[in-house]
Amino acid sequence: MNIQVIIPMVIFLAIIFFIGFWSSKKLESSTGGFLQEYFLGGRELGGFVLAMTMVATYGSASSFLGGPGTAYTMGLGWVLLSMTQVVTGYFVLLILGKKFAILARKYNAITLIDFLKVRYSNSKVVVLLAAASIIIFLFSAMTAQWVGGGRLIESLTGMKYTTALFIFAVSVLVYVVIGGFRAVAVTDAVQGGVMVIGTLILLIAVIIAGGGVPNIMQDLLNENPNLVTPYGNEGNLSAAYVSSFWILVGVGVVGLPQMAVRAMSYKNTRSMHRALVIGTIVSGFIMLNMHLIGIFARPIMPGIEVADTVIPLVALKILPAWLAGIVLAAPLAAIMSTVDSLLILVSSSIVKDVYINYINPNATEKKVKILSFGVTTLLGSIVFLLALNPPELLIFLNLFAFGGLEAAFIWPVVLGLYWPYGNKYGAIASMITGIISYIALHFYNSAYGNLFDIHTVVIPVILSLLAYVSFSLLINKTKYIF
Amino acid sequence: MDPRFKIAHREALIGVALAIVHFIWWFGFAYGLGSKPVEEYSYILGFPDWFFYSCIMGFILVAITVIVLVKFVLKDVSLEEEGDER
């Protein structure tokens, strides 16, 4: 493997490490309490970092390697589908919005579960159910992402998968463990920047290599006219299916704990307003760029078998080596920025939501500190071991975890914020209904094809809404005063 | 009720409204123009018309809308407990 490809990546990793050390210095000098600093960055995120960390956390291995790969196979219909993610740029912050940030401060909430705990009258069932689903689902998502990271380094450097995974694991662990949420958010901002620049360079290069957009479209038309329709290469991508992604990767994202926790981490409403603008533009820009790269790569490099390798292969083919190195830092950045967020979140769930809530409420600051570092390191090591024997199908695992969490959390969070009659019975019923119906429907859909031809997430989200509303009204109906 | 919540409720509704309009635009152009036979597609900057309007123009218009909302509609409030509106 060309050393020129590796140098930009090493520089990229060096910057990331530097941010980790910088954050750990800030952590030591902070006065706001260790937990708030370590798991929430002291609620001091500015607009740019907030926007970037939201976009980067969400733009994961699946959307960065799998997504363009699928666009390569399916055509413009998949780019249309990917653009449903633009909505996350404004929707999460506008919906959770100021009320969530105000209440989180009032409740002194550091995790999403802290918020749920106070809102649902200290219900132990709510807390433990929520913590269990975060730990289980995001753990599986994390493993899939680590596999993606290891595979990417493997394919770029020619190292063995185990070595590649080890390098990836150590890089992520070091800055997350020592720097906490602030390191995660600030490195996300750098990683987001790398993604914007990387995808832009590669898009321009692909368009030039393909002889301009009209030329590329003509090539696609000649090969298979379906590639330029919204219906996929075989004409079986239905409008209902594509539209259901508005729930999965669009509005449903409000329910994802890793997104919600960011909506309580910003400094003031000016940061939030700025993040709305930057987040919308950056998410749309990255999504459009990288999926167009996928489809535009088709006439240039026909016959790629493994979809996930489209981006690395095309970058290495059409760019000078050093530039390819910069561009290929982008998918690496995408994976890291997702993994780091999940890692710190799962760690916060264990330390704050389970340990401090129920096992040892009087733990000293010092003990909490050691435990936080320890749990984060341990989690990372377990994920590393699991990722050594990697499960198949990255996108599959990833979406399974995200969809299940969305179905579980969207209504307890959103209606908990805006509907005074929502209570703990509704929240419990909603979480159980969401997760169980998601898993059941998932197996049904994989056996018999998608029910109603829509993505698995839609029906569980509707069912969990019904469960939330009916249980809140039927059992112990009370009006909550915010 | 806390006056800040009134503002927050209004802005959440704006978010819902924007998402609905965004969806109608995205869906309308994609499947309105895209369901024609491929031979009848027209092309703008090289892209099929359905894609250009639905994904490229749609994205640009949404971004502009968000900028306008932030500049003229959304209100700054204090997030702290004791703070009043600035």
Side-chain angles (χ1 to χ4, degrees), chain A residues 80 90 94-95 98-99 102 105 217 221 228-231 242-243 246 269-270 273 276 281 284-285 418, chain B residues 4 9 11-12 19 22-23 26-27 31 35 38 41 43 46 50-51 54 59 62 74-77 79-80:
Chain A
L80 174 72
Y90 58 86
L94 272 178
I95 296 305
K98 288 155 193 170
K99 191 163 185 185
I102 292 168
R105 279 169 164 79
M217 286 301 158
L221 270 173
V228 302
T229 70
Y231 300 107
V242 174
S243 299
W246 270 77
T269 50
R270 272 193 50 224
H273 293 164
L276 277 169
I281 294 175
F285 192 78
Y418 294 105
Chain B
R4 296 177 299 172
H9 292 175
E11 292 179 359
H22 185 177
F23 175 78
W26 172 92
F27 188 94
Y31 296 102
S35 57
V38 180
Y41 284 178
Y43 292 83
W50 68 266
F51 183 83
S54 172
F59 164 48
V62 164
L74 304 190
K75 293 209 167 71
D76 274 319
V77 298
L79 301 173
E80 303 304 326

Side-chain angles (χ1 to χ4, degrees), chain A residues 301-355:
Chain A
M301 293 189 81
I304 296 177
E305 301 267 317
V306 184
D308 278 6
T309 59
V310 169
I311 292 260
L313 288 178
V314 78
L316 290 171
K317 182 182 161 106
I318 64 175
L319 292 174
W322 63 274
L323 200 54
I326 296 178
V327 166
L328 291 176
L332 191 63
I335 298 172
M336 282 184 138
S337 56
T338 301
V339 164
D340 61 8
S341 316
L342 298 184
L343 186 59
I344 197 78
L345 183 76
V346 175
S347 171
S348 75
S349 250
I350 294 174
V351 175
K352 180 71 174 61
D353 301 329
V354 179
Y355 181 80

Side-chain angles (χ1 to χ4, degrees), chain B residues 2-80:
Chain B
D2 190 326
R4 296 177 299 172
F5 288 166
K6 255 205 187 104
I7 295 173
H9 292 175
R10 181 166 155 265
E11 292 179 359
L13 286 177
I14 291 173
V16 174
L18 178 56
I20 291 171
V21 174
H22 185 177
F23 175 78
I24 292 170
W25 177 283
W26 172 92
F27 188 94
F29 277 109
Y31 296 102
L33 293 173
S35 57
K36 287 186 301 192
V38 180
E39 303 78 51
E40 290 172 24
Y41 284 178
S42 54
Y43 292 83
I44 301 165
L45 302 175
F47 293 97
D49 48 4
W50 68 266
F51 183 83
F52 180 80
Y53 287 116
S54 172
C55 295
I56 300 176
M57 278 310 283
F59 164 48
I60 294 171
L61 286 179
V62 164
I64 292 172
T65 312
V66 172
I67 293 171
V68 171
L69 283 177
V70 162
K71 266 211 136 58
F72 301 108
V73 182
L74 304 190
K75 293 209 167 71
D76 274 319
V77 298
S78 162
L79 301 173
E80 303 304 326

Side-chain angles (χ1 to χ4, degrees), chain A residues 116-196:
Chain A
L116 296 177
K117 184 180 173 210
V118 182
R119 173 62 182 83
Y120 297 112
S121 38
N122 285 318
S123 163
K124 198 169 176 172
V125 184
V126 169
V127 172
L128 292 180
L129 206 56
S133 27
I134 286 180
I135 294 166
I136 294 167
F137 279 101
L138 289 187
F139 206 81
S140 67
M142 231 189 324
T143 313
Q145 297 285 330
W146 286 55
V147 174
R151 286 252 171 87
L152 184 70
I153 298 182
E154 178 191 24
S155 71
L156 295 179
T157 60
M159 280 186 264
K160 278 209 321 225
Y161 175 74
T162 319
T163 323
L165 188 69
F166 185 74
I167 293 178
F168 180 77
V170 171
S171 322
V172 172
L173 269 179
V174 168
Y175 74 82
V176 176
V177 170
I178 64 171
F181 185 86
R182 191 193 307 270
V184 169
V186 177
T187 52
D188 280 0
V190 174
Q191 288 151 348
V194 171
M195 288 187 240
V196 169

